[in-house]
Amino acid sequence: MAAISQHDYGLLFLNLINILPLSTMLSKPTFFAFIIVAFEALFILQQWRHPIFHFLLLSYFFFAIKTYFLKSKQPRPVYLVDFSCYKPPSKCKVPFSSFIHHASMIEAFDTESVEFMAKTLVSLGLSQETYLPPALHCIPPKTHHRESINEAQMVLFPVMDELLSKTKLSPHDIDILIVNCSGFCPSPSLSSIIINKYSMKSDIKSYNLSGMGCSAGTISVDLAQNLLKTHENKTAIVLSTEILSTGWYSGHEKPKLILNCVFRMGGAGILLSNKKQAENTSKYKLIHSLRTQRAYDDTAYYAVYREEDSRGILGVTFNKDLLQAVSETLRSHITLLGSQILPFTEQFFHVISILRKKLIDKSAEIYTPNFKTVVQHFCLPSSGKPLIREVAKGLNLNGRNIEPALMTLHRFGNQSSSSWWYELGYMEGKWRVKKGDKIWVLGLGTGIKCCSLVLECLRPIVEDDKKSPWSCCIQQYPIQ
């Protein structure tokens, strides 16, 4: 093999410099191929005939091409850029005394119904600071279609304005819009109302989810994630709320009266993106999602059910089997989720305990995996104190883990599909979320449906958000 002179090295360096600009004009596979041909030509000209040079060159070529195509097939990560939560005006507050006084003045309620709602208010864990829409402050409450439209606009428009302001985006920058509301489905849809209000672009992909209960908020984010995995370089907004004026129950059946007591006014907006620059500006990255349901099982299907009572009045029934159905749904859901995110040791102990119970000791308890080994924060369904404690028991969570759910329920009530974002806002307001922390958002709704999101914090959350619904009261919490 001939020796290589300094002149030859100079030519080699100049050849490499001359072909570098091609990388901006050619696709990566074509550029790799061009590099290989160039080096092969150089080897031949320099009389480098030893097979090892050609073998190494071809090996590098195949490795580079394989790496490129494997990477190109993987969808870009989905980032949760920011979110906003609606804080109703003070005039919408409904202290217990006002609620009971108004209820006693409504002819549709008898004394027994009023007393039941008074006891339910206290037992569910709400405070005197929760909110109801203006239509439900009237006597009798206004439940007309126009009132529901007004309530939707009252909640969704400020949430959308704040989210666009925080992220410095124009409505024309939004490529995907998802609006979810379980009980109110107007025509045109709520998503069309938003598009009309903000004059969004004509090719925006819009979706409107209804009838999916409290889990609709997490399901909407899961839908947005799937769309962003399919469409590159896009931005999505999810708007979650529940319109209460259309779901008010004016009857005597106690299982239907619970909805009047626990559900309160609220809404949230979430901005997601798969753009490369979003990595530097986003709060969180969505690293995992899982959806399961038990609608095939009658007990779960009828646990929370909208139907007419004996007098033909429409309402939502909370059946006595609700907690049992929730427990069974969560058991199967967390088993699947655990198999995907838990370390091997936790999965191993869980499987061994199941085998022991089936084969050796029927009375033995099944080991509950410790999700706190991979998750630092939990956003749980805030559907009432009993349900929160039932979920906490099933997951072996302590008081600090369930504090955001209990405090959100206390301050704002059950806001259905938007409650989780108030819980996340609570944790941010307490400066508990650190870079690298994992947050498990657990959505639970009628059906019964379960949807989990696992978020990873990308930067320390220490900013003081004056527009947060927690900004004026966070120092008062937690309370006993």
Side-chain angles (χ1 to χ4, degrees):
M1 186 171 63
I4 304 175
S5 66
Q6 289 185 343
H7 177 69
D8 294 328
Y9 277 118
L11 287 176
L12 174 61
F13 179 75
L14 288 174
N15 287 333
L16 289 174
I17 292 297
N18 289 332
I19 66 174
L20 283 178
L22 287 173
S23 64
T24 61
M25 297 182 290
L26 303 175
S27 65
K28 287 188 178 180
T30 307
F31 179 67
F32 287 143
F34 187 88
I35 288 287
I36 296 299
V37 172
F39 271 100
E40 276 293 329
L42 184 65
F43 288 171
I44 293 172
L45 290 173
Q46 298 295 335
Q47 298 182 353
W48 295 359
R49 296 189 177 92
H50 199 287
I52 190 62
F53 292 107
H54 303 282
F55 174 75
L56 291 175
L57 191 61
L58 290 174
S59 298
Y60 169 76
F61 172 71
F62 286 118
F63 175 76
I65 290 296
K66 180 180 178 181
T67 302
Y68 170 77
F69 279 110
L70 285 176
K71 189 175 181 180
S72 64
K73 288 181 179 179
Q74 295 178 351
R76 286 199 57 78
V78 175
Y79 300 99
L80 195 158
V81 181
D82 211 334
F83 65 97
S84 61
C85 297
Y86 176 68
K87 183 181 179 182
S90 298
K91 65 180 182 180
C92 291
K93 282 186 180 179
V94 52
F96 291 176
S97 58
S98 298
F99 183 91
I100 299 304
H101 178 64
H102 284 200
S104 62
M105 297 173 64
I106 299 173
E107 294 182 2
F109 297 135
D110 56 21
T111 303
E112 188 177 352
S113 299
V114 174
E115 290 178 353
F116 174 80
M117 288 191 287
K119 293 179 181 178
T120 303
L121 280 172
V122 177
S123 64
L124 287 175
L126 277 68
S127 72
Q128 308 279 348
E129 302 288 318
T130 60
Y131 305 87
L132 283 175
L136 298 186
H137 285 263
C138 299
I139 302 174
K142 296 180 179 179
T143 57
H144 310 300
H145 181 81
R146 182 68 255 175
E147 296 298 331
S148 298
I149 292 290
N150 291 339
E151 182 184 342
Q153 295 173 344
M154 183 179 182
V155 174
L156 295 178
F157 290 172
V159 166
M160 186 73 171
D161 290 338
E162 182 183 340
L163 188 60
L164 293 175
S165 175
K166 289 171 80 171
T167 56
K168 297 179 173 57
L169 290 178
S170 162
H172 290 276
D173 297 326
I174 309 305
D175 306 293
I176 300 167
L177 174 66
I178 302 172
V179 182
N180 68 263
C181 176
S182 186
F184 181 55
C185 186
S187 184
S189 65
L190 291 173
S191 59
S192 295
I193 291 175
I194 298 297
I195 292 171
N196 176 262
K197 165 68 176 179
Y198 293 92
S199 300
M200 292 179 160
K201 55 189 179 183
S202 60
D203 62 342
I204 187 172
K205 293 175 173 58
S206 64
Y207 302 84
N208 201 93
L209 304 185
S210 64
M212 305 192 79
C214 301
S215 62
T218 49
I219 290 174
S220 295
V221 174
D222 178 72
L223 172 59
Q225 176 191 224
N226 290 330
L227 291 168
L228 289 171
K229 285 182 177 179
T230 305
H231 304 280
E232 295 183 356
N233 205 37
K234 301 295 182 183
T235 300
I237 279 186
V238 171
L239 297 177
S240 296
T241 191
E242 191 58 68
I243 304 304
L244 303 182
S245 52
T246 192
W248 179 263
Y249 174 67
S250 298
H252 302 309
E253 293 188 4
K254 293 180 180 179
K256 292 181 173 62
L257 289 170
I258 297 174
L259 183 141
N260 296 350
C261 303
V262 67
F263 279 87
R264 290 296 182 261
M265 196 176 186
I270 304 95
L271 179 70
L272 303 113
S273 177
N274 60 4
K275 294 184 177 181
K276 187 175 182 179
Q277 59 268 31
E279 183 177 2
N280 301 320
T281 59
S282 300
K283 286 184 174 181
Y284 305 96
K285 179 168 71 173
L286 187 55
I287 60 175
H288 196 82
S289 65
L290 174 69
R291 285 182 60 185
T292 63
Q293 62 173 302
R294 290 182 63 85
Y296 56 85
D297 177 69
D298 285 349
T299 301
Y301 181 74
Y302 289 106
V304 182
Y305 194 76
R306 192 175 189 185
E307 60 185 350
E308 295 176 337
D309 64 11
S310 57
R311 299 167 59 194
I313 303 173
L314 192 63
V316 176
T317 301
F318 291 82
N319 285 312
K320 60 182 179 180
D321 297 328
L322 175 60
L323 290 182
Q324 177 190 346
V326 166
S327 297
E328 293 175 354
T329 304
L330 282 177
R331 188 178 298 115
S332 59
H333 182 81
I334 65 176
T335 299
L336 283 174
L337 183 68
S339 67
Q340 298 172 6
I341 69 171
L342 285 173
F344 172 77
T345 52
E346 291 296 320
Q347 297 184 46
F348 177 77
F349 290 139
H350 181 64
V351 171
I352 291 298
S353 68
I354 293 176
L355 294 176
R356 180 188 177 190
K357 185 177 181 67
K358 288 185 175 181
L359 304 177
I360 301 175
D361 184 3
K362 301 292 185 181
S363 62
E365 293 186 359
I366 295 178
Y367 174 75
T368 301
N370 184 9
F371 279 87
K372 288 179 281 188
T373 58
V374 290
V375 176
Q376 288 74 44
H377 309 284
F378 299 83
C379 295
L380 306 176
S382 59
S383 302
K385 191 186 299 183
L387 182 61
I388 294 173
R389 298 201 180 280
E390 183 71 19
V391 174
K393 180 181 177 182
L395 295 174
N396 281 341
L397 302 181
N398 57 35
R400 185 177 174 86
N401 298 142
I402 65 174
E403 180 187 311
L406 287 173
M407 296 306 103
T408 296
L409 177 67
H410 180 271
R411 176 62 183 86
F412 297 102
N414 179 11
Q415 296 158 309
S416 188
S417 59
S418 62
S419 295
W420 295 275
W421 310 110
Y422 288 80
E423 295 178 36
L424 188 54
Y426 176 86
M427 289 185 280
E428 289 186 358
K430 287 291 185 180
W431 293 10
R432 293 181 181 176
V433 185
K434 312 296 188 218
K435 182 178 179 180
D437 283 0
K438 306 294 192 307
I439 302 100
W440 179 8
V441 183
L442 175 61
L444 192 66
T446 54
I448 289 175
K449 294 180 284 292
C450 236
C451 182
S452 284
L453 309 172
V454 181
L455 310 174
E456 180 182 359
C457 183
L458 299 178
R459 56 182 172 86
I461 310 296
V462 294
E463 64 261 29
D464 187 12
D465 186 1
K466 299 297 184 182
K467 293 185 178 181
S468 167
W470 290 103
S471 60
C472 62
C473 62
I474 192 68
Q475 300 303 325
Q476 303 171 18
Y477 287 91
I479 63 166
Q480 296 299 322

